[in-house]
Amino acid sequence: MSELTELSFTVSGRISRPVAEVYEAVADPDRLSKYFTTGGARGRLEPGAEVSWDFADFPGRFPVRVVEAEAPRRIVIEWDGNETVDDRTRVVFEFAPIDDGTRTLVTITESSWRATDAGAKSAFGNCEGWTGMLAALKAWVEHGINLREGFYK
């Protein structure tokens, strides 16, 4: 048995909208700001871009580097992380059409943290955040409801 050296996680959820619409809800800063980056997102998620995300409930603007963006299937971003292997984490969003294109399976994978107590705490916190993001994405895209408003503060 090999020793665990890195931590990562994957979360996924199904959104009852076509893949292009769900992709745009993440890639477009105006749409992302409606349900996730409650303090505002600046810049579209496109290859090579450096954008920023701000959260009204967690003040402070976060720089986000876009490594890949292949509409409407995949977005890869990186940002600075705590207790990470390379001082940053990598987040991969994958969008897959399901049910004859009427729904979208969204999968988010983030990696990688050190296999330490502090690394695990940081990874679990981000896992909670992305799980909340998926729920908020579903509520906003399907019903126009912002789940984050008042949730954290």
Side-chain angles (χ1 to χ4, degrees), residues 2-153:
S2 62
E3 183 179 330
L4 180 65
T5 59
E6 295 181 11
L7 303 174
S8 65
F9 63 82
T10 299
V11 296
S12 36
R14 289 154 185 81
I15 312 295
S16 294
R17 292 290 186 268
V19 69
E21 183 179 342
V22 177
Y23 180 93
E24 283 303 313
V26 176
D28 181 292
D30 292 333
R31 295 180 194 184
L32 191 66
S33 298
K34 300 282 189 213
Y35 67 91
F36 182 56
T37 55
T38 52
R42 293 185 186 160
R44 181 175 172 80
L45 298 182
E46 55 191 14
E50 178 142 334
V51 304
S52 63
W53 291 351
D54 197 354
F55 298 89
D57 40 14
F58 295 106
R61 191 162 285 284
F62 297 88
V64 176
R65 294 172 297 285
V66 183
V67 177
E68 293 176 42
E70 300 169 20
R73 302 297 182 143
R74 180 177 165 93
I75 299 170
V76 180
I77 62 172
E78 291 181 344
W79 55 18
D80 295 340
N82 294 322
E83 297 298 320
T84 58
V85 173
D86 295 319
D87 296 325
R88 66 184 184 281
T89 68
R90 178 172 280 222
V91 182
V92 178
F93 297 86
E94 295 174 304
F95 306 86
I98 57 174
D99 299 334
D100 296 322
T102 61
R103 297 196 316 151
T104 303
L105 174 63
V106 181
T107 302
I108 302 171
T109 301
E110 188 168 13
S111 60
S112 63
W113 292 267
R114 295 184 191 106
T116 62
D117 289 346
K121 182 177 180 181
S122 188
F124 290 144
N126 282 28
C127 184
E128 177 186 2
W130 289 120
T131 301
M133 185 271 198
L134 279 176
L137 171 64
K138 182 175 181 66
W140 185 76
V141 170
E142 291 181 12
H143 306 287
I145 297 168
N146 180 351
L147 290 181
R148 281 188 73 98
E149 189 173 332
F151 189 81
Y152 292 99
K153 278 192 169 182

